[in-house]
């Protein structure tokens, strides 16, 4: 049976890697991001590899846009029973310099966005008696200097995930979180730029602190998502998997 998956923030980075992997696993994939045209590259790559995907433009923090996006996925791909809440932003600053807008924007995309998407798809999962929800947390959930907003949001994602596991388990729906360490994407490149370090040096410095002696790639996270979303993972729920090349953040 072909499952339909929605991956948010999938125009690039980890989300793009996850969308391509789930398509390769045989799912039809809605590649959702703020800008629909930015999703086309990932959709083209999936189609070129023989998979099925559509580009969906929506702001995950906007209730109406989320409802419209999910309705479109139902019409064009079928009822979504796999959801990967991956869309994310950073607005890093030390607490005394953090604006209210920095705080609210980060909460809005990570928490409000995950809530809105999950609420919009859960009835489809209950109806199917099967569902897989995978939420992107971060090693920053354990605390990270300059990321009071992001750390709070990513810790919040873990509590959200565990509660979904408790509420939806009886309907055959699992919910798990993945907490990546350093992954090479535009998000980490932007951090390097902000602190004025060339990205290659930034990666080398990070790799030196990581037990497997390298930084992560979107494919590393996609592999973990693929497991949580698989048919055989139905007894794994409410877990947080740190995918960080070692035991510590
Ligand atoms: P990224 O390269 O910055 O990609 C994030 C994507 O999310 C972008 O395409 C962005 O679109 C989209 N997005 C942002 N706000 C959105 C919204 N309101 N609605 C819909 N889409 C939105 O980030 P990434 O590194 O792949 O990160 C993916 C996820 O993993 C995030 O949740 C992040 O917090 C988490 N994570 C990343 C790392 C890491 O080391 N990279 C580590 C731990 C956790 P625009 O380009 O249009 O803004």
């Amino acid at each position: 049976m072909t499952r339909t998956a929605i991956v948010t923030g999938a125009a690039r980075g980890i989300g793009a890697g996850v969308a391509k992997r789930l398509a390769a696993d045989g799912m039809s994939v809605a590649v959702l991001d703020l800008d629909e045209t930015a999703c086309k590259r990932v959709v083209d790559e999936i189609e070129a590899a023989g998979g099925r995907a559509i580009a969906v433009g929506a702001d995950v923090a906007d209730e109406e846009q989320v409802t419209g996006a999910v309705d479109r996925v139902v019409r064009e791909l079928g009822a979504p029973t796999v959801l990967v809440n991956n869309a994310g932003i950073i607005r890093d600053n030390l607490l005394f310099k953090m604006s209210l807008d920095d705080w609210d924007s980060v909460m809005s995309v990570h928490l409000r966005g995950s809530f809105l998407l999950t609420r919009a798809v859960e009835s489809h999962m209950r109806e199917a008696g099967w569902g897989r929800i995978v939420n992107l947390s971060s090693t920053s959930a354990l605390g990270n200097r300059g990321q009071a907003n992001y750390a709070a949001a990513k810790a919040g994602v873990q509590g959200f995930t565990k509660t979904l596991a408790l509420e939806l388990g009886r309907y055959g729906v699992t919910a798990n979180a993945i907490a990546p360490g350093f992954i090479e994407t535009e998000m980490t490149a932007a951090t390097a730029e902000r602190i004025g370090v060339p990205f290659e040096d930034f990666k080398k410095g990070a790799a030196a602190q990581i037990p497997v002696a390298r930084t992560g790639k979107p494919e590393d996270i996609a592999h973990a998502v693929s497991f949580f979303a698989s048919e055989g993972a139905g007894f794994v729920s409410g877990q947080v998997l740190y995918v960080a090349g070692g035991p510590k953040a």
Side-chain angles (χ1 to χ4, degrees), residues 20-98:
K20 287 189 266 184
R21 175 60 189 263
L22 294 184
D25 289 346
M27 295 178 194
S28 298
V29 181
V31 178
L32 187 152
D33 211 296
L34 276 173
D35 175 10
E36 186 166 325
T37 44
C39 300
K40 292 262 159 61
R41 187 185 54 86
V42 178
V43 169
D44 288 348
E45 281 182 48
I46 288 173
E47 286 175 345
R52 183 149 182 244
I54 59 168
V56 180
D59 178 349
V60 295
D62 183 303
E63 187 176 19
E64 233 171 85
Q65 290 186 35
V66 166
T67 311
V70 172
D71 287 350
R72 219 192 110 197
V73 173
V74 173
R75 279 198 311 277
E76 295 183 28
L77 287 182
T81 53
V82 175
L83 171 65
V84 184
N85 283 309
N86 166 83
I89 59 166
I90 47 173
R91 295 285 183 272
D92 296 354
N93 238 326
L94 291 175
L95 186 68
F96 78 100
K97 285 195 277 190
M98 189 172 283

Side-chain angles (χ1 to χ4, degrees), residues 198-213:
F199 194 36
E200 283 310 309
D201 296 349
F202 192 55
K203 283 194 287 187
K204 262 189 216 147
Q209 308 295 320
I210 297 172
V212 300

Side-chain angles (χ1 to χ4, degrees), residues 93-235:
N93 238 326
L94 291 175
L95 186 68
F96 78 100
K97 285 195 277 190
M98 189 172 283
S99 69
L100 183 57
D101 189 54
D102 290 338
W103 178 268
D104 287 343
S105 310
V106 167
M107 292 301 150
S108 192
V109 178
H110 297 274
L111 289 177
R112 186 182 159 103
S114 298
F115 161 68
L116 288 176
L117 255 301
T118 307
R119 199 184 57 174
V121 300
E122 65 94 31
S123 62
H124 297 291
M125 294 180 177
R126 274 194 285 124
E127 219 162 277
W130 190 95
R132 299 281 185 264
I133 299 164
V134 184
N135 298 321
L136 267 290
S137 178
S138 166
T139 51
S140 294
L142 302 170
N144 199 24
R145 197 178 154 79
Q147 291 196 317
N149 49 0
Y150 185 78
K154 291 307 200 184
V157 164
Q158 297 190 10
F160 177 61
T161 304
K162 287 167 195 266
T163 303
L164 295 177
L166 292 174
E167 291 189 11
L168 299 175
R170 73 186 64 188
Y171 306 108
V173 178
T174 67
N176 292 284
I178 294 172
F182 188 117
I183 309 297
E184 296 168 25
T185 68
E186 284 186 37
M187 188 177 272
T188 37
T191 303
E193 199 177 327
R194 187 176 62 81
I195 61 175
V197 178
F199 194 36
E200 283 310 309
D201 296 349
F202 192 55
K203 283 194 287 187
K204 262 189 216 147
Q209 308 295 320
I210 297 172
V212 300
R214 68 170 177 88
T215 47
K217 302 210 180 288
E219 294 75 23
D220 292 311
I221 304 307
H223 195 68
V225 174
S226 172
F227 166 71
F228 282 134
S230 67
E231 301 290 329
F235 205 55

